[in-house]
Amino acid sequence: MGGLSIGQVAERTGLSVHALRFYEREGLLADAVRRESNGRRVYTEDDVDWLNMCIKFRSSGMPLDTIRKYTELVRQGAGNEADRLALLKSHQDYVRAQIEELNECLNVITWKVDFYQEHVDAGTADCLWATPSTQTASEAS
Amino acid sequence: MGGLSIGQVAERTGLSVHALRFYEREGLLADAVRRESNGRRVYTEDDVDWLNMCIKFRSSGMPLDTIRKYTELVRQGAGNEADRLALLKSHQDYVRAQIEELNECLNVITWKVDFYQEHVDAGTADCLWATPSTQTASEAS
DNA sequence: CTAGGTCCTAGAGCGCTCTCTAGGTCAACT
DNA sequence: AGTTGACCTAGAGAGCGCTCTAGGACCTAG
């Protein structure tokens, strides 16, 4: 393993090469990416690991800004572990809240799905309700 | 209960008056909002219920476009229940997938939180690791 | 009569996260 | 020599979901 090209990293992480360059510009990479003599980026496996963590952060709704802050803390080196912990904990809370909220939404949606499922199963699939007003009333509830 | 003003609806739903007008323009309301003689909107409790559902849809990641499609189906009246069901089911799947993804993220984050917690608890909070390289290695994993 | 508050429309602007373009370098194949 | 394909930079553009502004109407209390 003698370093990866941007294309290879894109393939492994699922990020586009554009996104990889963008993330770098935005300061989301813990280590400066090395370059070949011709200016091309050379990534290490550590870079890929770091990116995969960024992806987890992102897909759990952490803004790039916060990822950047975390990255800066790590770049500063030892001594700020409490700060990193605080940042991570706060995000942990946020993710938990998101999950809770999604579960509530899921309940509502499931209730509606079941409602429609029953009626679609029962009838032969159309004209189940007589009047538009009945319709709206059951919809809105 | 003789109808609600946009301000009252904003208060109850948590949406801004701007957002309420925006949603209406975007065709997210099942019934056309009535107007007073002077042109001001008059909402019913049903409108509020509908909006609350839209909010559930939105906060579980349904795009406005899809909410609009659903709204159109409901506006068309009885006969397309299977379509509505399909739309709702597909969103249900999406929400479940989101929850699953968030749980995965939460695991990773919790792992990191625990890692830092231990070390912050153990040391007196700084200089826990000797070298920046050790640092980065444990970070990247 | 005036000031304050709520409402109206139409449309511009914003924050975020990419995504894509233009214009170019470089190395390898045919 | 020419073509292909991966890469480079800087910066414009796009999609989404609001949010806000401008300019104005109307109502009520002081």
Side-chain angles (χ1 to χ4, degrees):
Chain A
M1 85 106 247
L4 302 159
S5 73
I6 195 167
Q8 289 172 314
V9 173
E11 223 172 288
R12 293 195 192 203
T13 58
L15 294 166
S16 69
V17 294
H18 296 299
L20 284 169
R21 290 193 276 247
F22 171 70
Y23 277 17
E24 185 177 339
R25 269 201 308 242
E26 294 295 305
L28 303 188
L29 283 134
D31 310 310
V33 176
R34 267 137 299 217
R35 302 295 183 117
E36 281 184 53
S37 54
N38 55 18
R40 295 184 174 203
R41 290 170 179 81
V42 183
Y43 294 82
T44 64
E45 292 291 343
D46 278 1
D47 291 328
V48 174
D49 290 342
W50 179 266
L51 282 165
N52 280 326
M53 240 216 10
C54 290
I55 289 168
K56 287 287 181 218
F57 284 160
R58 275 295 303 126
S59 55
S60 52
M62 187 186 284
L64 296 187
D65 222 54
T66 308
I67 302 183
R68 178 166 33 238
K69 268 170 205 135
Y70 183 72
T71 306
E72 273 157 19
L73 287 174
V74 171
R75 266 203 293 255
Q76 278 168 25
N80 57 23
E81 289 75 17
D83 295 344
R84 299 186 208 174
L85 179 58
L87 187 153
L88 290 170
K89 268 187 169 163
S90 136
H91 186 59
Q92 192 183 35
D93 288 349
Y94 175 64
V95 176
R96 288 195 178 124
Q98 275 185 89
I99 292 173
E100 206 173 317
E101 166 134 50
L102 282 178
N103 275 316
E104 270 175 46
C105 295
L106 187 56
N107 284 342
V108 173
I109 293 156
T110 298
W111 189 90
K112 277 193 102 57
V113 164
D114 292 349
F115 171 82
Y116 275 111
Q117 187 73 68
E118 272 174 40
H119 286 279
V120 168
D121 285 354
T124 36
D126 59 2
C127 294
L128 299 165
W129 296 280
T131 71
S133 62
T134 327
Q135 178 56 38
T136 308
S138 55
E139 250 315 315
S141 68
Chain B
M1 103 81 262
L4 302 159
S5 73
I6 195 168
Q8 289 172 315
V9 173
E11 224 173 285
R12 296 196 190 199
T13 58
L15 294 166
S16 70
V17 294
H18 296 299
L20 284 169
R21 290 193 276 247
F22 171 70
Y23 277 18
E24 185 178 338
R25 268 200 308 242
E26 293 295 305
L28 271 44
L29 282 133
D31 310 310
V33 177
R34 267 138 298 217
R35 302 295 183 118
E36 282 183 52
S37 54
N38 57 17
R40 294 184 175 203
R41 290 169 180 83
V42 183
Y43 294 82
T44 64
E45 292 292 343
D46 276 2
D47 291 329
V48 174
D49 290 342
W50 178 266
L51 282 165
N52 280 326
M53 241 217 9
C54 290
I55 290 168
K56 286 289 181 218
F57 284 161
R58 276 295 303 127
S59 57
S60 52
M62 188 186 283
L64 295 188
D65 222 53
T66 308
I67 302 183
R68 178 166 34 239
K69 268 170 204 136
Y70 183 72
T71 305
E72 274 157 17
L73 288 175
V74 172
R75 267 204 293 255
Q76 278 169 24
N80 57 23
E81 289 75 17
D83 295 343
R84 300 186 206 174
L85 179 57
L87 187 154
L88 290 170
K89 266 187 171 165
S90 137
H91 186 60
Q92 191 184 36
D93 287 350
Y94 176 65
V95 175
R96 288 194 178 124
Q98 273 185 88
I99 293 172
E100 205 174 316
E101 166 133 52
L102 281 179
N103 275 317
E104 270 175 46
C105 294
L106 187 56
N107 284 343
V108 173
I109 293 156
T110 299
W111 190 90
K112 278 192 99 59
V113 164
D114 292 349
F115 171 84
Y116 276 111
Q117 188 73 67
E118 272 174 39
H119 287 279
V120 168
D121 286 353
T124 36
D126 59 2
C127 296
L128 299 164
W129 294 278
T131 71
S133 63
T134 325
Q135 179 56 38
T136 308
S138 54
E139 249 317 314
S141 68

